[in-house]
Amino acid sequence: MDSQTSQASQPSPSPQSPHTFQVDLRGLVDLLSQHLYSSPKVYLRELLQNAVDAVTARRADEPDAPARVRLYAEGGALRVEDTGVGLTEADVHSLLATIGRSSKRAEGLEEARSDFLGQFGIGLLACFVVAERIRVVSRSARTPGAPPVEWTASDDGSYTVRTLPDAERPEPGTTVHLVARAGAGEWLAPERVRTLARDFGSLLPYDVRVGDEAVTDLPAPWDRPYPGPAARRVALARHCHDLFGFTPLDTIDLAVPLAGIRGVAYVLPSAVSPAQHVGHRVHLKGMLLTERAEQLLPDWAFFVRCVLDTDSLRPTASREALYEDETLAAVREALGERIRAWLTGLAAGDPERLAAFLSVHHLGVKSLARHDREMLRTMLPWLPFETTDGRLSLEEFAQRHPVVHFTRTVEEYRQVAPIASAQGIGVINGGYTYDSELVQALPSVRPGTVVAELDAETVTAHLDAVDPAEELALSGFLAAARARLDPLGCDVVLRAFHPLSVPALHLDDRDARHEQARADAEERADDLWAGILGSLRGSAPRARLVLNHLNPLVRRISALPDPELIGTAAESLYGQALLMAQRPLRPADSALINRAFIGLLEWATHSEDGRA
């Protein structure tokens, strides 16, 4: 018998019957409450969403159908009534009792998904976060002959369905009844329900009420007619204060019709860090989606808080954040353009308001100008920078100085600013956030401007050399000072410069500081690391203590006969130069300053012993 015959004679495997997943509803509810939703309050949003979607579905068939949603809270229970499309018994089994199925998949509704708030079909399941039992009574508007149907579910995963007499629900629509679970009664309290409904549903397009109190407040504040621009500005400022707790510096309209966006951005009245993520308030088709949307605006626009309504952005599964996709990226760019246009308008027509804005939020505009050359060109006359001529704009500073010198760090600026200013060299402090980048970009928007980094070598080159004969006569003094400061990695040079009141100037650059840090680490390291660090030794120039030959104190010190006293004085001048530059002190520097101070006191108070 060949192999084919043998295989054919073997019995065929029996077909496997499919199995369905068993869902632990209580475990799923715990998962929702602890990981998907930020707070149990979202249950009310789900109820409002279902009610509004049901009304929207009915109005697609009957444009004149009533559009009402009513909420009644009392005694640890909540009742939500709507005049929506309603459900038949078949709908109840298909939609309410199947976890993950969206009512928006019902026939005839798929093509109209964009009109609905819900996208994920979790629906009433979220209500189990606060309720132990849910009862739904519904009557279909699409099947007028169908009787009312009742669906009752418990948080243990069981449910019952039965039909009711017509009198139980004579009109189409749905009523949802909730009974609070243990420990969750506060979420169904009347005042809490009223607050949540107003918060979530203030911009919903239908008549929504808690009892007799209206929830909706339409049109939105940014769409309302006002007597004039001033009245509108006052009204929006009041809206901002009520919503966010601050009175804005200004208001920016954020209408983007192609993206279905209407809203406003409120300019914060005080400075904030660029690293601080500001949350924005986003409504989706009128329903509040989130108060903490962080990715809505470009990173540079950290000086505003937004509130807007949209029908184009996608929510995440929890419907508490925005889904990052191409649409959100396009909206982010469009909103950024609105803010750019506002800034450009201020620069062109309202310099006083622009100056008031920049006095608080210049950092945000500088962040934008780094990547937007047109914005940098527009803001050149306005953005403030710290310079040796005071706080000036780049435009004004460039008009005063043929070469725009800058330093990359605040420490470098403090080292050279007094001396450079006395020598007629203009310097910009580029050590603050974004400043050095903007200074280097200046030639790209102001052709012909020369920009140069100012370092220790450049400053030293601008200081007058001392007559060689005089410097030779002071060689003993300079040798004693150099010997004392050599262990600190610092050379001593003699120059003549203004102002006369500065006896000494400490100059170094980043390479010198890096080399000094490496040497300090090598000294503290064990043999292995010392060898590794030693192999990294660089050839950077050492720091310099530049003594001012025009200063009277330096002249008196240079005439001292005692090398030990000259060394102590040199240490004192070194410490004073570090302090004047506001440089961070190393432990060795602090020890030197203390030692020099004590040494000078001892010299000044010592009894006559031939050394005075």
Side-chain angles (χ1 to χ4, degrees):
M1 184 181 296
D2 59 25
S3 59
Q4 291 184 347
T5 306
S6 175
Q7 292 176 4
S9 64
Q10 294 179 3
S12 59
S14 59
Q16 297 292 318
S17 58
H19 299 277
T20 58
F21 287 102
Q22 301 299 310
V23 177
D24 180 354
L25 186 58
R26 284 177 176 165
L28 186 56
V29 169
D30 288 340
L31 182 66
L32 291 176
S33 61
Q34 295 177 26
H35 299 285
L36 184 62
Y37 295 132
S38 63
S39 166
K41 68 181 182 181
V42 298
Y43 88 92
L44 193 67
R45 184 195 60 204
E46 296 292 340
L47 289 173
L48 284 175
Q49 172 195 293
N50 288 341
V52 170
D53 284 349
V55 172
T56 301
R58 183 177 180 184
R59 283 206 151 190
D61 299 330
E62 307 173 49
D64 296 329
R68 296 189 306 272
V69 179
R70 296 290 184 267
L71 296 89
Y72 303 95
E74 184 178 3
L78 175 66
R79 184 172 85 255
V80 181
E81 300 178 353
D82 68 66
T83 57
V85 69
L87 302 170
T88 64
E89 183 176 358
D91 293 334
V92 167
H93 285 289
S94 174
L95 302 176
L96 297 187
T98 305
I99 295 173
R101 175 171 293 180
S102 172
S103 62
K104 269 60 77 179
R105 296 193 183 97
E107 66 175 279
L109 297 186
E110 180 67 28
E111 67 275 9
R113 276 180 80 92
S114 63
D115 294 332
F116 297 94
L117 301 173
Q119 295 287 320
F120 296 95
I122 295 175
L124 288 175
L125 189 61
C127 294
F128 280 120
V129 173
V130 298
E132 65 178 6
R133 188 171 71 255
I134 302 174
R135 176 172 172 257
V136 177
V137 177
S138 186
R139 183 162 193 162
S140 175
R142 288 180 173 163
T143 311
V149 61
E150 176 192 71
W151 177 81
T152 304
S154 299
D155 61 2
D156 61 2
S158 63
Y159 72 91
T160 60
V161 178
R162 62 177 182 139
T163 57
L164 301 175
D166 289 347
E168 291 285 337
R169 178 88 199 189
E171 299 295 330
T174 300
T175 302
V176 179
H177 303 262
L178 301 185
V179 177
R181 67 192 306 174
E186 61 173 305
W187 293 104
L188 274 63
E191 187 57 37
R192 178 63 67 90
V193 169
R194 188 177 299 109
T195 300
L196 293 178
R198 191 182 299 116
D199 199 35
F200 283 120
S202 62
L203 300 184
L204 289 174
Y206 303 134
D207 178 14
V208 182
R209 296 175 182 268
V210 177
D212 295 328
E213 183 177 333
V215 167
T216 52
D217 187 18
L218 296 176
W222 49 85
D223 286 332
R224 295 172 190 169
Y226 296 98
R232 185 176 189 271
R233 191 177 299 117
V234 170
L236 289 178
R238 186 182 307 113
H239 174 250
C240 176
H241 189 274
D242 293 342
L243 206 59
F244 296 127
F246 65 86
T247 300
L249 279 179
D250 209 345
T251 301
I252 308 169
D253 283 304
L254 297 179
V256 186
L258 290 178
I261 287 177
R262 290 283 301 168
V264 290
Y266 293 119
V267 181
L268 295 166
S270 56
V272 294
S273 166
Q276 178 179 335
H277 294 288
V278 177
H280 307 289
R281 188 177 176 93
V282 178
H283 295 257
L284 180 61
K285 304 179 184 71
M287 181 76 74
L288 178 65
L289 179 70
T290 179
E291 300 175 280
R292 300 184 300 275
E294 295 180 354
Q295 69 273 48
L296 186 66
L297 295 182
D299 290 340
W300 55 262
F302 53 82
F303 50 83
V304 298
R305 289 194 70 177
C306 298
V307 53
L308 54 83
D309 188 24
T310 176
D311 59 16
S312 63
L313 299 179
R314 290 175 57 195
T316 59
S318 66
R319 289 195 286 276
E320 295 184 279
L322 296 172
Y323 186 79
E324 186 66 52
D325 58 9
E326 293 181 358
T327 302
L328 180 57
V331 166
R332 183 162 48 236
E333 181 61 30
L335 296 181
E337 285 297 331
R338 295 296 183 274
I339 299 175
R340 284 189 185 94
W342 171 77
L343 284 169
T344 304
L346 288 187
D350 200 339
E352 290 186 1
R353 284 171 67 196
L354 178 62
F357 167 76
L358 289 177
S359 67
V360 179
H361 295 300
H362 57 274
L363 202 59
V365 179
K366 287 181 177 180
S367 175
L368 168 60
R370 287 185 306 153
H371 308 292
D372 190 325
R373 291 294 180 259
E374 189 57 39
M375 181 57 62
L376 177 58
R377 183 179 292 107
T378 301
M379 290 295 151
L380 273 182
W382 307 104
L383 287 174
F385 289 78
E386 182 181 352
T387 78
T388 48
D389 295 349
R391 289 189 70 79
L392 297 176
S393 69
L394 287 180
E395 177 66 30
E396 188 173 359
F397 187 85
Q399 290 174 357
R400 294 186 181 188
H401 299 278
V403 178
V404 177
H405 289 98
F406 73 98
T407 63
R408 291 186 180 273
T409 68
V410 174
E411 290 78 11
E412 291 173 350
Y413 177 80
R414 288 169 179 165
Q415 283 184 66
V416 304
I419 308 305
S421 180
Q423 306 302 315
I425 305 173
V427 185
I428 295 176
N429 184 356
Y432 296 113
T433 307
Y434 311 132
D435 283 9
S436 63
E437 297 175 67
L438 294 177
V439 173
Q440 293 177 88
L442 191 54
S444 68
V445 296
R446 196 177 188 275
T449 303
V450 179
V451 173
E453 183 176 356
L454 188 66
D455 54 19
E457 290 288 343
T458 306
V459 174
T460 305
H462 279 80
L463 303 180
D464 295 332
V466 178
D467 181 83
E470 290 188 55
E471 187 168 2
L472 181 61
L474 297 175
S475 59
F477 158 71
L478 292 174
R482 287 167 180 156
R484 185 60 67 91
L485 296 183
D486 182 70
L488 295 170
C490 183
D491 291 330
V492 178
V493 297
L494 191 64
R495 293 289 188 273
F497 56 87
H498 293 273
L500 300 179
S501 58
V502 178
L505 178 66
H506 182 273
L507 293 177
D508 62 3
D509 56 23
R510 286 184 301 280
D511 290 338
R513 288 195 291 275
H514 292 162
E515 174 60 20
Q516 184 61 56
R518 186 209 58 77
D520 291 343
E522 180 182 356
E523 185 177 340
R524 295 191 303 268
D526 57 27
D527 292 342
L528 173 61
W529 282 109
I532 294 174
L533 292 169
S535 68
L536 300 176
R537 182 178 295 110
S539 59
R542 304 209 305 170
R544 269 162 282 181
L545 181 68
V546 183
L547 301 179
N548 188 358
H549 187 53
L550 302 179
N551 179 267
L553 176 61
V554 172
R555 285 180 174 272
R556 288 196 296 270
I557 293 174
S558 65
L560 292 172
D562 185 352
E564 185 67 25
L565 184 55
I566 290 174
T568 300
E571 289 179 335
S572 299
L573 291 174
Y574 173 85
Q576 189 264 353
L578 287 180
L579 294 174
M580 288 297 294
Q582 302 183 44
R583 290 287 303 279
L585 299 180
R586 298 171 298 165
D589 296 330
S590 300
L592 175 142
I593 292 173
N594 292 332
R595 184 173 65 249
F597 177 72
I598 297 299
L600 291 177
L601 284 181
E602 289 179 347
W603 177 80
T605 59
H606 205 282
S607 60
E608 294 186 5
D609 59 358
R611 297 175 58 193

